[in-house]
Amino acid sequence: MEYRPSDIEQKWRNWWKEHQTYKVEDHPDKPKYYILDMFPYPSGAGLHVGHPLGYIATDILARYKRMRGFNVLHPMGYDSFGLPAEQYAIQTGIHPAISTEQNIVRYREQLDNIGFSFDWSREVRTSDAAFYKWTQWIFMQLFNHYYDSAANKAMPVSDLVKRFAQSGNAGIKAVCDDDTPNFSAAEWNAMSEREQLLLLLKYRLTYPGEAYVNWCPALGSVLSNDEVKDGVSERGGHRVERKLMNQWNMRITAYADRLIEGLDGIDWPDSIKEQQRNWIGRSVGASVRFAVDGHDQAFIEVFTTRVDTIYGATFMVLAPEHELVEQLTTDKQRTEVDAYTRWAASRSEIDRMAETKKVTGVFTGAYAINPFNGERIPIWIADYVLAGYGTGAVMAVPSGDQRDWNFATQFKLPIVPILDAQKDLDQAADPTKEGRYINSDMINGMPYAEAVPTLITWLEQNGLGKGKTQYKLRNAVFSRQRYWGEPVPAYWVDDVPRLIEESDLPLVLPNIDKYLPTETGEPPLGRAEGWNYKGHQYELSTMPGWAGSSWYFYRYMDPHNDGEFCSRPAINYWQQVDFYLGGAEHAVGHLLYSRFWNHFLYDLGLVPHREFARKLVNQGMIQGRSNFVYRAKEQFFEEYLMIKVLKPFFADMGPMVIAEPDYEEEFQYDFAFEANDLVIEVTSWRQEEKIARVYKSALADGKRLMVLFTEELIDHINEPDVTAGKIRAALQSREKYIASTEKPVCEQLFVSENLLYKYHPDAFTKLHVDVNLVDADILNLEKARTQPMFEKANFKLDPKGHYTCSYEVEKMSKSKYNVVNPDDIVAEHGADCFRMFEMFLGPITDAKPWNTQGISGVSGFLKKFWGLFFNGSGAFSVSDEDLTKEELRVLHTCIKKVTDDIERMSMNTCVSHFMIATNELRRLNTSKRAALEPLVIMLAPFGPHTAEELWHQLGHDTTVCDAAWPVYNEEYLKTDTVNYPIQINGKLRATIELPSDVTAHDAEQAALALEMVQKWMEGKPARKVVFVPGRMINVVV
RNA sequence: GCCCGGGUGGUGGAAUGGUAGACACGCAGGACUUAAAAUCCUGUGGCCGUUGAGGUCGUAUGGGUUCGAGUCCCAUUCCGGGCACCA
């Protein structure tokens, strides 16, 4: 019988479904093992080949653990709220719930075809009201709790209220806003309810507050940094500004220390732990208040980790958004400061952080007073100081900090050394802490360790500052001005948020007519009719993508519970995730937020562990190979005209007078070619205003104007002669204004990648093109023209008539149009082959570009393995004979290696061990049950369909999933002799066959006796002989 | 820019500090075939040499630790991921 996956795979998938093979029940008497994959966002592009990489690995582990006697929970669901569905809804008007449902159906089909052992009865979807009811419920718990620093845990706000009423907030150690005032019990009790509620917001673990966002006025929406390119929106190229908006926040900073400490107790990759530590960015230092000269009420608070350098602070820098900038700026400096502030507002945070070469900034005209020596230091603003980090102000110490040094050097500000150990301050800053302080008044002569406490004590005694621990971690913005997310279960009364009753959960997302912000700039939910609670308007923003994914792993334990997010018995049995697998790109997003929520739920006694996942493994990303096309900008046509049309044209016409355009002319006419009083302007058909303006200038100058539309240049891009003809005619004509009246056919030009070198790089926009339209980097023009992107396009082809695309290896994603689906491969080679091929690609932790060359190796292996069970005439034929010593060695080597390698998630080497065993058994002509049955069992996690078929052919009638994993016997692995390599001074020179139980002494003697060894020792005595039993012998001379 | 990974034949990759290149792909040669496909066999890191010798270089680059380094340490370089509203 030939191996034909299509004959067996569907059959067994049906059988598993019928027999509920993968249904998981809680068995308190059985050891449990909870294996979790990061659930996918159901994108419109379908499941891509990167998704299953992790799912296959965990599926293998899950099936393996089951065979080792564990009750395994390996569930799957969908992170089904998200921006792409909303954008699709904006474009098409289709409700995100509908497109999401369609995408899920597709995902499910694709997942089913791969033969996973998921228990689908436990599926969760974050966009189901039955699920987000509990996301909202957790939000409400966060609102109702504050972080008590004394108890080091979350406590009910109702307790806080009682304590306020009794003794005010003086004795309360809690995490709260920096600007929380001190008040007595009497003051508290005298407050109105509204005042009290506003004050409590400063303590709650989730609260509305101001935060900076990328605001795009033209689109009327907030954009992610990702959606902002070069200061304008990626879609549409509209202006984007940094704007303060009232947003819900999560007080994750309350848990900063616990989130750092918790990392020590979990088996997560060091790189993830390190990234989280850096993200939280705990730094110990001091905050210092600087008075401002001439402004009695204004103080600038700075945080520094190097308070010891304070006498070297020769200026101060504020973020352009700093609230005092407006007030401090002197009239003389105002124009300059305003211009700089506007410019800075147009830059994204990433741009600002990335820019280090160019130092920019302006002087405000104001001076701060150094609290230690009363010195006046100038206050500047510069965008390397970020408003969102710390206080948005830094004291600049150019002798110790490189960025400050650069700034000081650029703007000629003084650089004062403060330690006698600092060197070469004319070359660079020296951040050393060595030596003794100089120029530093009260700490002169002290070392670092003494100086810091001296200064902090002084600050605290004088009320000018204090020792402080600062975190880079900011409270997490929790509002999204979007539709497709969980509604926030809160409503507003007199600008104070209140929660709805728990009994009114879930607060179901309402339908709206359009998925866009309202005309007044409110989020889409502002369009919902009757969106209010007992007459008060609901919160209009929705929750971010990470809300549902921060706790979903508990829902799988008890997915249909309507009374609790998870029942007590279920959580007591399943406890926590034993093995979590997913991409490292979630290192500081999902994985940190989930830990935060879990610590909170732990404080409330709702979950048994502080950490939700005991072990985490990162799956490497399967990267896509993206292709790019180049769309010409207007500038391109000017260059094209010069190079392709005018140059040959001049050669034709002989010498001719061309005016050198001066600066002003260039401004009036972008493309200022002028000959015989004719000016040529290149612009788009649509730029009526510009054309009118240029025509007016031309008239005023007494010149004639010819307008060449970019669209007509596009039409004739491959025939420059046509344009040359037009110009020739224009030169001879006496008309004042010459422009084509033909309607353009093409509106965009795409230039082949191998022609780009002729033009200025800025003349093109590089755009992703769907890889399905490209074959070996050549764009399929016929297919391309069917796409909206190229509907009105012309292509400038290379001399071979090809449009060549450039390529890059990057993340596989719908937005990069480089998604490859597994479907075709599964259909062609079968699911088992696909599963094993993905594993065979390499370690799951490595990133690698997708590439199907090599799949025939796995496909051939499955055929050979299958072939072991069938005789020459194609009949199933397995004997019951005993195994020979060699067959035993082959089998048990394979058992040992595969078992060890699954345990360390090295699935790629497992596949090669199967190949080796199969090749060996073929060589030995083995068709004995005693060898093949254990192999079928071991193959089952990898190729479940094939294994199930062979298992049943071997005469079993229950599933192979419940077979016991084979155990290897060390006895069979032993060999009588070992082939020892012999090194002379670390270089391999000979080998020698020695008994496997040889003593060190005998081995040395045998090695030294060898002729080759003697030759390489060149008569010198052996100074030392290193003998590693079973490994090697090294002779040192 | 900052943080985190990674760099091994033509390709994917293997290698608890102990014979670098397992297992595959590809390629070359051969067998079977009228032919092709499929299948099977042999070879396959570079260089020098050889007729069944052997030598030498080699794990991004340059240093270091060690009897011994792809593996550990330092520096450089290139590539990938993250950088707070993509998920």
Side-chain angles (χ1 to χ4, degrees):
Chain A
M1 193 175 152
E2 206 182 313
Y3 177 65
R4 271 206 301 271
S6 53
D7 291 353
I8 54 171
E9 293 192 342
Q10 191 56 50
K11 178 177 79 181
W12 290 112
R13 285 199 283 267
N14 294 341
W15 192 91
W16 293 327
K17 202 170 171 187
E18 249 168 64
H19 290 76
Q20 301 208 3
T21 306
Y22 303 123
K23 177 115 178 92
V24 181
E25 311 276 4
D26 300 6
H27 289 297
D29 52 320
K30 230 175 145 185
K32 65 93 193 185
Y33 199 80
Y34 184 3
I35 302 178
L36 183 66
D37 290 289
M38 289 183 187
F39 60 168
Y41 172 77
S43 136
L47 194 75
H48 65 63
V49 290
H51 289 117
L53 183 78
Y55 307 158
I56 295 166
T58 49
D59 196 52
I60 290 167
L61 185 68
R63 289 167 178 273
Y64 165 77
K65 286 282 179 189
R66 176 172 174 175
M67 290 168 133
R68 306 274 325 226
F70 288 91
N71 189 27
V72 176
L73 178 58
H74 183 215
M76 184 48 71
Y78 304 97
D79 190 11
S80 45
F81 273 132
L83 193 53
E86 180 154 335
Q87 275 165 355
Y88 185 72
I90 292 168
Q91 285 162 25
T92 62
I94 295 171
H95 195 285
I98 294 170
S99 58
T100 300
E101 172 68 30
Q102 285 167 348
N103 293 345
I104 287 177
V105 168
R106 169 109 196 271
Y107 266 56
R108 178 61 190 276
E109 230 172 83
Q110 291 178 297
L111 288 168
D112 279 349
N113 281 337
I114 301 171
F116 290 114
S117 63
F118 299 129
D119 175 1
W120 284 106
S121 71
R122 291 179 183 253
E123 175 191 323
V124 303
R125 297 179 188 185
T126 53
S127 61
D128 270 359
F131 179 93
Y132 68 68
K133 171 179 178 179
W134 299 106
T135 312
Q136 291 171 333
W137 182 82
I138 294 171
F139 172 89
M140 292 170 72
Q141 307 313 307
L142 284 157
F143 186 83
N144 284 332
H145 286 78
Y146 75 102
Y147 196 86
D148 190 294
S149 311
N152 220 352
K153 62 184 281 202
M155 305 276 270
V157 169
S158 52
D159 288 6
L160 193 62
V161 171
K162 279 183 212 143
R163 292 171 67 188
F164 283 169
Q166 265 172 20
S167 49
N169 72 348
I172 289 173
K173 279 181 71 188
V175 178
C176 58
D177 289 357
D178 286 339
D179 61 356
T180 308
N182 292 324
F183 53 84
S184 66
E187 284 169 318
W188 170 260
N189 292 324
M191 285 179 202
S192 68
E193 190 200 8
R194 181 169 182 276
E195 284 168 330
Q196 289 183 341
L197 287 174
L198 284 172
L199 203 50
L200 287 173
L201 289 177
K202 295 179 181 300
Y203 288 85
R204 297 182 191 275
L205 287 173
T206 183
Y207 61 96
E210 303 235 288
Y212 277 100
V213 295
N214 297 314
W215 174 252
C216 179
L219 295 175
S221 80
V222 176
L223 302 178
S224 65
N225 280 342
D226 201 46
E227 293 172 293
V228 183
K229 290 271 152 70
D230 306 326
V232 296
S233 67
E234 192 176 32
R235 283 170 300 126
H238 303 294
R239 191 169 53 82
V240 175
E241 60 193 43
R242 316 251 314 138
K243 184 181 159 189
L244 264 185
M245 263 180 96
N246 206 35
Q247 306 267 16
W248 283 89
N249 291 278
M250 285 281 161
R251 210 178 292 278
I252 186 174
T253 48
Y255 283 87
D257 278 329
R258 278 174 57 182
L259 289 171
I260 291 175
E261 286 157 20
L263 291 171
D264 293 334
I266 46 180
D267 183 9
W268 285 24
D270 289 338
S271 62
I272 297 283
K273 292 187 184 181
E274 193 57 23
Q275 283 189 69
Q276 293 207 348
R277 283 191 197 102
N278 290 333
W279 185 257
I280 296 166
R282 185 188 148 102
S283 48
V284 180
S287 74
V288 184
R289 281 176 89 189
F290 283 71
V292 182
D293 195 19
H295 293 75
D296 289 349
Q297 297 307 309
F299 288 96
I300 298 171
E301 183 108 9
V302 302
F303 174 80
T304 173
T305 53
R306 289 292 305 272
V307 69
D308 59 299
T309 64
I310 196 152
Y311 289 98
T314 53
F315 57 100
M316 176 169 285
V317 187
L318 307 185
E321 297 90 345
H322 195 282
E323 54 187 10
L324 287 176
V325 170
E326 177 66 23
Q327 189 190 333
L328 297 184
T329 303
T330 58
D331 292 339
K332 191 167 161 246
Q333 295 299 109
R334 185 155 313 273
T335 322
E336 215 182 323
V337 168
D338 285 352
Y340 186 80
T341 310
R342 268 200 311 277
W343 174 76
S346 74
R347 304 185 71 204
S348 75
E349 209 162 295
I350 290 187
D351 288 342
R352 289 172 55 170
M353 288 186 288
E355 186 71 75
T356 47
K357 289 197 191 95
K358 225 166 41 192
V359 178
T360 65
V362 293
F363 179 42
T364 60
Y367 290 84
I369 309 287
N370 185 328
F372 283 91
N373 57 10
E375 221 166 86
R376 285 170 88 236
I377 57 175
I379 301 173
W380 286 63
I381 61 171
D383 74 347
Y384 75 86
V385 178
L386 301 178
Y389 179 42
T391 58
V394 299
M395 60 176 222
V397 183
S399 65
D401 181 280
Q402 191 58 43
R403 269 183 319 189
D404 295 346
W405 188 93
N406 293 346
F407 198 86
T409 307
Q410 165 100 13
F411 294 109
K412 311 235 170 352
L413 294 159
I415 299 173
V416 177
I418 33 125
L419 278 157
D420 56 12
Q422 282 179 320
K423 282 191 301 245
D424 301 327
L425 291 179
D426 53 333
Q427 298 300 313
D430 182 353
T432 184
K433 294 174 185 168
E434 304 292 315
R436 305 274 165 168
Y437 289 89
I438 51 172
N439 300 325
S440 296
D441 245 5
M442 95 175 51
I443 55 167
N444 272 336
M446 288 185 191
Y448 174 77
E450 202 182 324
V452 174
T454 306
L455 294 169
I456 289 177
T457 307
W458 188 89
L459 279 173
E460 287 174 355
Q461 280 169 356
N462 291 278
L464 289 166
K466 59 185 176 193
K468 193 180 174 189
T469 301
Q470 168 102 12
Y471 300 92
K472 202 158 81 191
L473 181 74
R474 316 204 277 257
N475 281 333
V477 179
F478 196 70
S479 290
R480 297 295 182 264
Q481 277 60 45
R482 314 277 194 198
Y483 172 71
W484 191 231
E486 300 87 346
V488 175
Y491 59 98
W492 293 82
V493 181
D494 288 339
D495 294 331
V496 180
R498 294 168 194 247
L499 295 184
I500 67 171
E501 293 295 322
E502 263 184 35
S503 55
D504 290 322
L505 288 176
L507 176 59
V508 177
L509 191 63
N511 281 323
I512 54 176
D513 55 347
K514 275 205 286 196
Y515 306 97
L516 288 170
T518 65
E519 279 69 27
T520 53
E522 286 181 321
L525 283 184
R527 297 174 177 277
E529 272 175 49
W531 186 238
N532 53 58
Y533 190 72
K534 298 173 180 166
H536 301 286
Q537 188 174 52
Y538 279 123
E539 167 62 38
L540 295 179
S541 65
T542 52
M543 298 190 196
W546 52 269
S549 62
S550 292
W551 73 279
Y552 75 109
F553 27 87
Y554 288 114
R555 193 62 180 171
Y556 286 128
M557 296 176 181
D558 188 13
H560 308 294
N561 194 332
D562 194 41
E564 292 166 281
F565 76 96
C566 180
S567 79
R568 205 24 69 163
I571 213 161
N572 282 344
Y573 178 59
W574 294 107
Q575 298 273 320
Q576 65 181 153
V577 175
D578 293 290
F579 190 102
Y580 195 19
L581 189 136
E585 66 272 22
H586 299 284
V588 289
H590 161 60
L591 289 172
L592 192 62
Y593 296 132
S594 297
R595 292 186 58 226
F596 159 45
W597 278 33
N598 196 78
H599 274 263
F600 171 70
L601 294 174
Y602 174 82
D603 284 352
L604 270 52
L606 295 169
V607 302
H609 297 278
R610 284 171 179 250
E611 297 293 337
F612 74 95
R614 226 156 44 78
K615 182 179 171 72
L616 172 77
V617 168
N618 284 131
Q619 130 198 19
M621 197 174 285
I622 290 206
Q623 291 155 322
R625 194 173 180 283
S626 305
N627 280 112
F628 298 90
V629 291
Y630 294 83
R631 191 171 67 197
K633 298 183 195 166
E634 201 161 288
Q635 187 188 344
F636 165 85
F637 294 100
E638 296 172 0
E639 286 181 40
Y640 165 79
L641 199 63
M642 197 64 220
I643 299 165
K644 281 290 177 184
V645 180
L646 295 177
K647 266 195 188 163
F649 183 66
F650 297 151
D652 268 14
M653 302 276 286
M656 188 170 167
V657 184
I658 311 284
E660 275 297 320
D662 62 22
Y663 177 78
E664 200 141 311
E665 209 159 5
E666 213 171 336
F667 181 73
Q668 284 175 353
Y669 317 105
D670 291 352
F671 185 79
F673 159 73
E674 190 196 339
N676 300 0
D677 80 341
L678 180 75
V679 174
I680 300 180
E681 174 67 34
V682 179
T683 190
S684 163
W685 199 269
R686 276 170 257 174
Q687 298 275 354
E688 288 175 35
E689 243 175 73
K690 183 176 171 189
I691 295 166
R693 195 189 68 223
V694 174
Y695 182 52
K696 224 170 115 188
S697 315
L699 275 183
D701 295 351
K703 286 175 185 167
R704 297 184 301 125
L705 176 69
M706 175 184 193
V707 178
L708 280 171
F709 295 114
T710 51
E711 289 88 351
E712 57 174 324
L713 289 171
I714 294 170
D715 267 349
H716 300 128
I717 195 74
N718 292 316
E719 314 140 274
D721 297 346
V722 175
T723 310
K726 277 192 184 165
I727 295 174
R728 195 182 302 269
L731 282 171
Q732 286 157 8
S733 147
R734 293 314 307 161
E735 272 179 84
K736 283 246 178 248
Y737 174 76
I738 307 158
S740 158
T741 50
E742 291 161 44
K743 253 197 147 186
V745 178
C746 301
E747 288 178 0
Q748 288 172 333
L749 178 74
F750 291 87
V751 180
S752 179
E753 192 266 341
N754 45 10
L755 301 174
L756 300 185
Y757 71 96
K758 294 183 182 172
Y759 306 97
H760 196 275
D762 292 346
F764 304 96
T765 308
K766 184 178 177 182
L767 297 164
H768 278 96
V769 61
D770 191 333
V771 290
N772 295 305
L773 304 176
V774 180
D775 189 23
D777 293 336
I778 307 288
L779 184 68
N780 182 326
L781 296 176
E782 209 172 300
K783 270 200 214 165
R785 281 188 223 279
T786 65
Q787 301 292 310
M789 181 178 178
F790 298 114
E791 217 174 7
K792 295 201 168 168
N794 195 345
F795 297 94
K796 186 157 171 54
L797 308 175
D798 67 18
K800 285 185 194 156
H802 288 150
Y803 187 97
T804 310
C805 304
S806 64
Y807 75 91
E808 261 170 48
V809 169
E810 55 182 357
K811 188 169 163 175
M812 201 176 269
S813 133
K814 192 186 177 191
S815 63
K816 301 186 194 305
Y817 299 100
N818 59 2
V819 169
V820 181
N821 296 126
D823 311 20
D824 296 345
I825 295 159
V826 172
E828 190 182 342
H829 298 277
D832 287 347
C833 182
F834 174 73
R835 291 168 63 106
M836 295 188 81
F837 174 64
E838 284 228 347
M839 294 299 97
F840 195 54
L841 277 177
I844 44 162
T845 50
D846 286 6
K848 54 218 148 221
W850 178 250
N851 185 352
T852 52
Q853 64 162 258
I855 197 163
S856 62
V858 175
S859 163
F861 154 74
L862 281 165
K863 284 180 196 158
K864 288 182 200 169
F865 183 80
W866 179 267
L868 292 172
F869 296 76
F870 296 87
N871 64 22
S873 49
F876 190 82
S877 159
V878 171
S879 80
D880 287 326
E881 290 165 65
D882 288 338
L883 299 183
T884 64
K885 199 175 171 193
E886 188 158 20
E887 288 166 338
L888 281 168
R889 188 186 53 77
V890 171
L891 174 65
H892 285 259
T893 306
C894 187
I895 297 174
K896 179 178 162 57
K897 297 222 157 164
V898 170
T899 308
D900 289 353
D901 286 357
I902 291 181
E903 292 281 357
R904 60 189 185 100
M905 291 301 280
S906 175
M907 305 310 183
N908 56 327
T909 50
C910 287
V911 177
S912 61
H913 297 316
F914 283 126
M915 289 173 168
I916 292 167
T918 302
N919 290 344
E920 297 263 310
L921 294 180
R922 268 162 64 88
R923 189 174 55 80
L924 297 169
N925 258 317
T926 304
S927 60
K928 299 173 185 170
R929 173 182 292 267
L932 298 184
E933 200 160 278
L935 283 175
V936 166
I937 296 171
M938 285 195 292
L939 188 76
F942 296 84
H945 310 84
T946 308
E948 193 78 87
E949 172 70 25
L950 291 170
W951 180 249
H952 283 253
Q953 295 240 22
L954 282 165
H956 302 276
D957 52 13
T958 53
T959 176
V960 69
C961 298
D962 289 327
W965 189 258
V967 178
Y968 74 90
N969 185 338
E970 197 73 48
E971 277 304 305
Y972 300 132
L973 303 183
K974 286 188 181 155
T975 49
D976 298 336
T977 60
V978 176
N979 195 18
Y980 278 93
I982 302 175
Q983 298 175 347
I984 314 292
N985 288 339
K987 277 197 190 294
L988 178 72
R989 294 303 184 189
T991 58
I992 185 170
E993 188 99 356
L994 292 170
S996 47
D997 56 355
V998 70
T999 64
H1001 180 262
D1002 291 352
E1004 279 176 31
Q1005 292 308 310
L1008 291 173
L1010 278 185
E1011 194 187 329
M1012 282 300 287
V1013 174
Q1014 285 302 325
K1015 181 185 144 200
W1016 282 102
M1017 287 170 72
E1018 294 167 338
K1020 293 174 218 160
R1023 277 202 290 140
K1024 185 175 172 189
V1025 179
V1026 182
F1027 173 71
V1028 185
R1031 277 295 180 185
M1032 46 68 68
I1033 300 163
N1034 190 13
V1035 181
V1036 188
V1037 294

